[in-house]
């Protein structure tokens, strides 16, 4: 249906924009390419009702995507770049 097509088109365009912005895994010191990465919600969609859009997503490789939660890290988009810090 049209609504579903619009959602998938929006996600596809957003993922391209995210790859251009982030260039690689956004975890400090990691340079794994976008093809090795997943989209991570900066504001969690399950607990913080974070939206699925390019301003609320960051590229993280699989290793770091599973690592940020137990380490208590939170990412923020600041001046066009993702910054990671410990949750407060």
């Amino acid at each position: 249906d049209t609504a579903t097509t619009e959602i998938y088109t929006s996600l596809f365009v957003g993922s391209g924009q995210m790859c251009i912005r982030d260039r690689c895994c956004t975890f400090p010191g990691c340079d794994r390419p976008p093809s090795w990465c997943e989209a991570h919600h900066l504001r969690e969609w399950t607990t913080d009702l974070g939206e699925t859009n390019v301003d609320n997503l960051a590229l993280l490789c699989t290793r770091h995507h599973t690592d940020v939660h137990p380490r208590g890290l939170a990412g923020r988009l600041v001046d066009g770049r993702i910054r990671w810090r410990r949750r407060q």
Side-chain angles (χ1 to χ4, degrees):
D1 79 18
T2 305
T4 302
T5 302
E6 289 175 8
I7 290 170
Y8 285 118
T9 301
S10 173
L11 290 174
F12 179 75
V13 170
S15 66
Q17 293 169 341
M18 185 175 46
C19 290
I20 291 168
R21 180 195 67 207
D22 295 348
R23 299 185 185 160
C24 62
C25 175
T26 60
F27 196 85
C30 186
D31 62 357
R32 288 185 176 95
S35 60
W36 292 19
C37 294
E38 304 160 352
H40 170 77
H41 283 87
L42 299 172
R43 284 186 56 229
E44 291 300 319
W45 63 274
T46 54
T47 56
D48 300 330
L49 302 178
E51 295 182 27
T52 301
N53 63 49
V54 70
D55 293 331
N56 189 44
L57 296 171
L59 288 179
L60 283 174
C61 67
T62 302
R63 175 183 174 209
H64 291 122
H65 199 183
T66 58
D67 202 29
V68 295
H69 298 284
R71 292 176 84 182
L73 299 175
R76 288 183 50 211
L77 181 61
V78 179
D79 297 326
R81 302 203 54 198
I82 306 298
R83 305 285 186 214
W84 292 96
R85 60 178 170 69
R86 294 222 179 266
R87 286 190 187 273
Q88 297 178 350

